[in-house]
């Protein structure tokens, strides 16, 4: 046992690690890369992605101009789902506004509206919806039917109340704050981008400048060289996890409901995945420029099919199955679980297991590739 | 003029010689188009829902069947757990608990409360799930003859431009705008910074070529590259995603070269500022992706962007080009709808051009 300890302490690893740390501290660009882009990305993703469909602009053409028609308009606007953009007096104006996208919806109340209602007949209103944004259009038409059915109930007070009442409760994010959804996803996105970039450039730089050969001539073993390179980077990237969690707490007030220590352990797994991807990229590329360009091929699909921005369930079948092979998808699910749901490994074990497998397999492949390149 | 064209020809032959870059210039845009075009779907479909039916009567089973009759919901197994644990494990996005007295209550004409627990981590989906469940419930009541409210008021809802609400018609034109900004600017930035890195820019300074001619020559070359990318991308969109011109295509045909030129200017500007190729790529990737994806109205409407960021979105050319390309392929209003957007792209493009020219001539003096 003491012999092993002696071996570890006398290893070239320490000297090399000190050299790497000095190099990193001198490299302003690297430190900048570790701090600035992640913060900016978190801020912009968190603030700019706002999927809330409310305050939809509505243009009204009220031919009836009666009490009920005005009540209908106020029923549409009372929840701020729609806001009246303006009243028009001609159908051409209204259709023009919808056609040009000035308003999301146009409501036409016919002149015989009040009369038909008084005669106990069905009155019909027309709604034109701008369908260029298919998602918003769908939600808007859903809101409209919902509000109209409530309005119908109001028109017939003698009717019985609805017999089935779905009482919805929102879990984990009762205030429906959209940044709470995006921020954990973006933490995963940021770690993916930064860890693959930083590790690949650390390896490629030595290749580019030719110092890799010098390192090889030292008595250090190749695993010591690689480990000394990666451990400081790993620690810095763990610092990025702290940074990202700090931004999410301080700026977006996203809760952290799970176990912090376990979350850091799982994040460490994910960083290993990111670092391995970086090393793989670096071993297959000849120059730094090739690394950054080929990283597009990996990172773009990884991020877009991870559910960080658009939920995985809405994707076509192929992508839903492919998502199982996407380490980021697992990490995002874990991050949402720890931050918002307050669950732990017991509930998320499948994702944690998948992540561990990815970490082991990718680490193995990348180290093997790197060593074969060294020899 | 002759010197500009000579510079452009030189740039293109240099571009052609680098196989990797040529491949990337056409493969990356295609890859992006396919992934964005197929994978980004905002509308919630196939939401997994677990139902805990304590009533277990024909009526409650009919209600459950009704919920899964459309493609909005998919049945998720409850696996003996409670509603909360299903949500905790992420097996379902919502859990519906039908009370034991469900059928009895309804028979007595008394309202029965059905508990719906919704996982609100995904806010958008949560809201949509809630309103789907409510709408399905109303529909269930009506078709089973339980609803006594007369339909005195009916809405005839018409969705214009995209009556089938195909999401690809929204996503794909936006993706074209993103792709045609990122990749031409990336290539231009790389070309500019390579000249600096390899020191060949000193030779250019020593020649009689002015900064203006250098920029215009490079811009012309990458405009050609960008336009060929545009042809590929648009052709694929037409074939795979059924994009068709909805109206007058001239604003689009005129706007696309101007937009690509603005993208190239943006790339050249970053190229003059960046220290090395990695920094240039990082700059384009970070600034380009963040602004065109998030501040342009590509995913969610521009009007949703909150105040300080909304100011930035006003100077993002992609925001205006998205309006033009969506108008060409979906809306179809032609010039009346988009003349302002085109003007803005011209204005922003010339600003970028001027910044690039200035910083290049400053470099020239200092050397």
């Amino acid at each position: 046992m003491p012999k092993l300890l002696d071996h570890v302490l006398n290893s070239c690893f320490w000297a090399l690690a000190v050299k790497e740390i000095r190099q990193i501290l001198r490299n302003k660009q690297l430190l900048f890369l570790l701090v600035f882009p992640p913060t900016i990305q978190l801020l912009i993703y968190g603030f700019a992605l706002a999927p809330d469909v409310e305050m939809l602009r509505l243009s009204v053409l009220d031919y009836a101009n009666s009490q009920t028609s005005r009540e209908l308009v106020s029923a549409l606007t009372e929840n701020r789902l729609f806001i009246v953009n303006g009243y028009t007096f001609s159908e051409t104006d209204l259709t023009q506004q919808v056609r040009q996208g000035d308003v999301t919806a146009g409501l036409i109340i016919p002149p015989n509206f009040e009369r038909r209602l008084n005669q106990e007949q069905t009155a019909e209103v027309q709604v034109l919806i701008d369908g260029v944004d298919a998602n918003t259009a769908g939600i808007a038409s859903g809101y409209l039917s919902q509000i109209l059915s409530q309005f119908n109930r109001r028109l017939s007070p003698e009717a019985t109340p609805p017999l089935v009442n779905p009482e919805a409760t929102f879990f984990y994010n009762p205030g429906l704050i959209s940044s709470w959804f995006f921020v954990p996803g973006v933490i995963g996105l940021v770690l993916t981008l930064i860890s693959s970039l930083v590790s690949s450039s650390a390896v490629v730089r030595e290749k580019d400048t030719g110092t890799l050969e010098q390192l090889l001539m030292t008595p250090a073993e190749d695993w010591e060289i690689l480990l000394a390179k990666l451990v400081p980077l790993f620690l810095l990237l763990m610092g990025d996890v702290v940074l990202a969690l700090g931004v999410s707490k301080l700026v977006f007030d996203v809760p952290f409901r799970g176990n912090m220590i376990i979350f850091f352990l799982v994040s460490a797994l994910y960083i290993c995945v990111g670092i391995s991807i970086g090393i793989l990229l670096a071993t297959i590329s000849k120059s730094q420029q090739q690394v950054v360009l080929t990283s597009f091929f990996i990172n773009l699909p990884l991020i877009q099919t991870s559910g960080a921005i658009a939920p995985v369930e809405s994707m076509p079948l192929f992508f839903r199955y492919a998502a199982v092979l996407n380490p980021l998808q697992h990490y995002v699910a874990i991050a949402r679980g720890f931050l918002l749901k307050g669950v732990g490994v017991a509930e998320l074990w499948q994702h944690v297991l998948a992540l561990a497998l990815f970490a082991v397999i990718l680490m193995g492949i990348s180290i093997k590739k790197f060593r074969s390149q060294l020899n | 003029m002759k010197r500009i064209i000579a510079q452009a020809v030189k740039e293109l032959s240099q571009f052609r010689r680098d196989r990797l870059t040529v491949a990337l210039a056409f493969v990356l845009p295609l890859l992006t188009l396919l992934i964005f075009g197929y994978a980004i779907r905002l509308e919630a479909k196939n939401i997994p829902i677990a139902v805990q039916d304590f009533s277990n009567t024909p009526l409650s089973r009919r209600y459950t069947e009704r919920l899964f009759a459309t493609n909005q919901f998919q049945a998720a197994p409850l696996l003996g757990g409670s509603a909360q644990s299903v949500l905790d494990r992420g097996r379902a996005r919502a859990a519906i608990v039908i009370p034991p007295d469900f059928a009895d209550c309804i028979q007595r004409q008394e309202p029965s409360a059905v508990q719906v627990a919704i996982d609100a981590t995904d806010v958008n989906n949560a809201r949509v799930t809630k309103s789907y469940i409510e709408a399905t419930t109303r529909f269930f009541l009506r078709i089973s003859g339980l609803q006594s409210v007369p339909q005195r008021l009916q809405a005839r809802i018409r969705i214009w431009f995209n009556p089938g609400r195909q999401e690809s018609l929204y996503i794909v034109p936006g993706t074209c705008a993103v792709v045609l900004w990122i990749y031409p600017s990336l290539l231009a930035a790389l070309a500019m910074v390579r000249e600096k890195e390899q020191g060949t820019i000193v030779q250019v300074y020593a020649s009689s070529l002015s900064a203006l001619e250098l920029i215009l020559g490079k811009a012309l070359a990458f405009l050609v590259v960008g336009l060929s990318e545009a042809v590929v991308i648009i052709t694929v969109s037409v074939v795979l995603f059924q994009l068709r011109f909805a109206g007058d295509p001239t604003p689009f045909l005129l706007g696309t070269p101007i937009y690509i030129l603005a993208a190239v200017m943006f790339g050249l500007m970053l190229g003059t500022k960046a220290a090395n190729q990695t920094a240039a790529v990082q700059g384009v990737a970070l600034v380009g992706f963040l602004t065109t994806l998030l501040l342009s109205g590509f995913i969610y409407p521009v009007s949703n962007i909150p105040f300080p960021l909304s100011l930035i979105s006003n100077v993002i050319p992609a925001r205006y080009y998205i309006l033009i390309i969506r108008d060409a392929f979906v809306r179809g209003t032609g010039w009346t709808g988009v003349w302002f957007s085109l003007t803005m792209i011209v204005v922003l493009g010339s600003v970028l051009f001027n910044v690039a020219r200035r910083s290049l001539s400053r470099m020239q003096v200092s050397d």
Side-chain angles (χ1 to χ4, degrees):
Chain A
M1 200 61 198
K3 209 174 164 194
L4 183 71
L5 194 72
D6 203 44
H7 187 67
V8 168
L9 284 175
N10 282 331
S11 150
C12 301
F13 166 76
W14 302 105
L16 283 168
V18 169
K19 167 220 155 227
E20 288 295 332
I21 291 171
R22 284 212 186 120
Q23 219 167 12
I24 288 168
L25 289 179
R26 237 179 307 139
N27 188 348
K28 291 268 158 53
Q29 202 192 348
L30 180 69
L31 293 178
F32 176 82
L33 271 182
L34 280 167
V35 174
F36 186 69
T39 316
I40 291 289
Q41 276 166 328
L42 269 169
L43 290 179
I44 296 191
Y45 272 97
F47 280 120
L49 281 182
D52 312 282
V53 181
E54 50 183 22
M55 312 258 278
L56 298 164
R57 275 163 306 163
L58 178 76
S59 185
V60 179
L61 172 58
D62 187 355
Y63 283 123
N65 198 16
S66 65
Q67 195 183 342
T68 325
S69 76
R70 283 191 294 268
E71 272 171 21
L72 174 64
V73 174
S74 71
L76 284 169
T77 52
E78 68 190 354
N79 285 330
R80 313 282 293 157
L81 294 176
F82 292 92
I83 48 170
V84 175
N85 191 59
Y87 290 86
T88 57
F89 301 99
S90 82
E91 216 161 317
T92 346
D93 266 8
L94 186 102
T95 51
Q96 185 71 8
Q97 283 174 350
V98 178
R99 188 166 288 285
Q100 299 210 350
D102 299 333
V103 295
T104 309
L107 171 72
I108 303 175
I109 303 173
N112 62 3
F113 178 75
E114 193 82 19
R115 200 178 61 233
R116 288 186 73 95
L117 281 180
N118 288 336
Q119 291 167 349
E120 303 282 316
Q121 280 171 312
T122 304
E124 202 170 65
V125 294
Q126 256 198 68
V127 184
L128 309 174
I129 296 180
D130 173 5
V132 170
D133 177 351
N135 182 45
T136 303
I139 295 176
S141 86
Y143 284 158
L144 267 167
S145 341
Q146 198 178 340
I147 296 172
L148 279 180
S149 93
Q150 281 162 4
F151 194 72
N152 261 317
R153 198 170 296 286
R154 220 190 289 178
L155 285 177
S156 338
E158 72 285 355
T160 49
L163 290 176
V164 179
N165 248 338
E167 283 177 3
T169 331
F170 290 118
F171 278 71
Y172 315 124
N173 183 2
L176 296 179
I177 305 164
S178 56
S179 60
W180 286 17
F181 172 66
F182 291 115
V183 167
V186 180
I187 292 179
L189 181 155
V190 161
L191 287 181
T192 312
L193 291 176
I194 199 76
S195 59
S196 65
L197 174 78
V198 166
S199 62
S200 64
S201 63
V203 173
V204 150
R205 202 182 325 114
E206 302 263 10
K207 248 163 79 173
D208 264 1
T209 49
T211 44
L212 201 56
E213 280 76 17
Q214 293 177 13
L215 271 183
L216 285 177
M217 282 192 272
T218 61
E221 309 235 357
D222 49 5
W223 65 266
E224 284 172 328
I225 299 177
L226 193 61
L227 206 63
K229 263 195 173 320
L230 297 185
V231 169
L233 285 181
F234 174 81
L235 293 176
L236 282 174
L237 288 166
M238 286 307 280
D240 259 347
V241 179
V242 178
L243 174 80
L245 284 180
V247 171
S248 86
K249 179 77 207 164
L250 294 176
V251 180
F252 296 103
D253 202 25
V254 179
F256 193 101
R257 297 183 174 133
N259 184 322
M260 187 83 79
I261 295 168
I262 297 177
F263 181 69
F264 274 103
L265 290 177
V266 180
S267 300
L269 277 182
Y270 188 64
I271 286 175
C272 290
V273 172
I275 289 180
S276 319
I277 294 177
I279 300 175
L280 274 180
L281 283 176
T283 47
I284 56 172
S285 311
K286 289 197 192 71
S287 65
Q288 203 145 1
Q289 185 206 341
Q290 283 194 359
V291 171
V292 278
L293 286 179
T294 40
S295 69
F296 269 89
F297 280 102
I298 308 284
N299 288 333
L300 200 77
L302 218 54
I303 289 169
Q304 290 306 326
T305 60
S306 68
I309 295 160
V312 178
E313 294 104 74
S314 348
M315 292 177 193
L317 205 60
F318 169 75
F319 287 99
R320 268 184 278 155
Y321 283 118
V324 179
L325 296 174
N326 183 344
L328 179 58
Q329 184 256 334
H330 296 291
Y331 184 68
V332 168
I334 292 170
R336 290 210 174 105
F338 272 88
L339 270 76
L340 302 180
K341 293 187 177 177
V343 295
V345 179
E347 287 82 4
L348 298 166
W349 64 270
Q350 284 159 321
H351 294 298
V352 177
L353 185 68
L355 217 50
L357 279 177
F358 275 114
V360 170
I361 295 173
L362 285 174
M363 257 305 170
I365 297 178
S366 62
I367 289 178
K368 204 169 160 213
K369 277 235 161 200
F370 183 76
R371 289 174 75 160
S372 72
Q373 206 163 53
L374 286 185
N375 300 327
Chain B
M1 195 61 206
K2 227 175 171 176
R3 278 190 291 199
I4 295 174
I5 292 174
Q7 165 73 13
V9 169
K10 172 234 139 198
E11 198 64 52
L12 278 177
S13 58
Q14 211 171 15
F15 169 76
R16 250 204 349 250
R17 224 176 308 145
D18 188 353
R19 287 269 173 77
L20 178 77
T21 321
V22 175
L24 290 179
F26 291 94
V27 178
L28 269 181
L30 265 181
L31 182 77
T32 315
L33 178 72
L34 293 180
I35 291 182
F36 281 25
Y38 281 117
I40 299 187
R41 289 288 174 273
L42 304 174
E43 192 190 0
K45 276 189 202 124
N46 310 309
I47 306 168
I49 299 246
V51 176
Q52 193 166 26
D53 187 354
F54 285 122
S55 167
N56 205 10
T57 50
L59 190 68
S60 70
R61 281 195 291 272
R62 255 195 357 253
Y63 178 57
T64 315
E65 267 166 34
R66 193 66 248 160
L67 283 171
F68 297 117
T70 58
N71 66 348
Q72 320 286 21
F73 298 136
Q74 234 175 28
L78 201 59
L79 295 176
S82 67
Q84 166 100 42
S85 79
V86 177
L87 296 191
D88 274 351
R89 283 179 195 179
R91 293 296 177 76
R93 291 277 171 258
I96 298 178
V97 183
I98 302 177
D101 58 352
F102 180 75
D104 295 341
C105 272
I106 291 175
Q107 239 150 37
R108 275 181 281 139
Q109 294 281 305
E110 276 169 28
S112 167
V114 171
Q115 297 299 327
V116 181
I118 301 177
D119 175 352
T121 38
D122 180 351
V123 174
N124 202 20
N125 259 348
R127 245 192 233 118
V128 172
T129 306
K130 175 172 180 269
S131 83
Y132 279 161
I133 292 175
E134 284 170 352
T136 317
T137 306
R138 280 198 306 275
F139 187 67
F140 166 75
L141 289 175
R142 207 166 62 236
I143 59 161
S144 12
L146 297 167
Q147 168 101 320
S148 52
V149 179
Q151 290 289 301
R152 300 190 51 200
L153 179 62
Q154 265 179 3
R156 181 174 290 179
I157 298 176
R158 291 213 324 250
I159 295 181
W160 274 5
F161 313 119
N162 185 1
R165 294 202 290 108
Q166 271 178 284
E167 273 205 281
S168 56
L169 279 186
Y170 180 66
I171 296 294
V172 172
T175 307
C176 293
V178 172
V179 165
L180 293 180
W181 184 265
I182 303 273
Y183 297 110
S185 62
L186 186 67
L187 294 173
L190 280 176
M192 195 65 179
V193 91
R194 199 183 311 133
E195 200 96 59
K196 248 168 54 180
E197 249 183 359
Q198 299 177 344
T200 44
I201 197 132
V202 184
Q203 294 169 18
V204 177
Y205 293 157
S207 73
S208 57
L209 203 66
S210 70
L212 181 70
E213 287 166 334
L214 176 68
I215 285 200
L216 286 180
K218 280 201 192 298
L220 187 63
F222 287 102
L223 175 64
V224 173
V225 175
L227 280 176
S228 21
E229 285 181 338
V231 170
V232 172
I233 290 298
I234 303 289
T235 315
V236 172
S237 308
V238 167
V239 174
L240 288 184
F241 298 103
Q242 281 87 44
L243 286 196
R244 297 286 180 273
F245 281 121
D248 181 8
T250 47
F252 167 73
L253 294 177
L254 189 67
T256 305
I258 299 177
Y259 176 68
I260 293 175
L261 206 53
V264 170
M265 288 304 171
F266 171 71
L268 292 177
M269 182 195 85
L270 282 182
T272 54
K273 303 221 182 260
N276 52 47
Q277 297 192 28
T278 316
V281 176
Q282 282 306 306
V284 174
L286 186 66
V287 179
F289 267 116
L290 279 184
T291 55
T292 54
L293 280 182
L294 301 177
L295 299 176
S296 67
F298 165 53
I299 300 181
Y300 298 116
V302 185
S303 55
N304 280 4
I305 301 172
F307 166 63
L309 288 175
S310 59
L311 291 182
I312 305 178
S313 93
N314 285 324
V315 295
I316 306 298
R319 172 198 168 151
Y320 300 101
Y321 184 67
I322 282 183
L323 292 178
I324 295 180
I325 191 168
R326 280 193 185 139
D327 192 84
F329 288 110
V330 191
R331 196 185 289 281
T333 54
W335 283 105
T336 44
V338 299
W339 63 269
F340 176 73
S341 305
L342 197 60
T343 320
M344 281 309 287
I345 296 180
V346 172
V347 170
L348 293 171
S350 17
V351 170
L352 287 171
F353 166 64
N354 268 312
V355 176
R357 190 178 54 107
R358 281 240 193 111
S359 51
L360 190 66
S361 21
R362 207 174 300 139
M363 267 165 49
Q364 210 166 6
V365 172
S366 73
D367 268 306

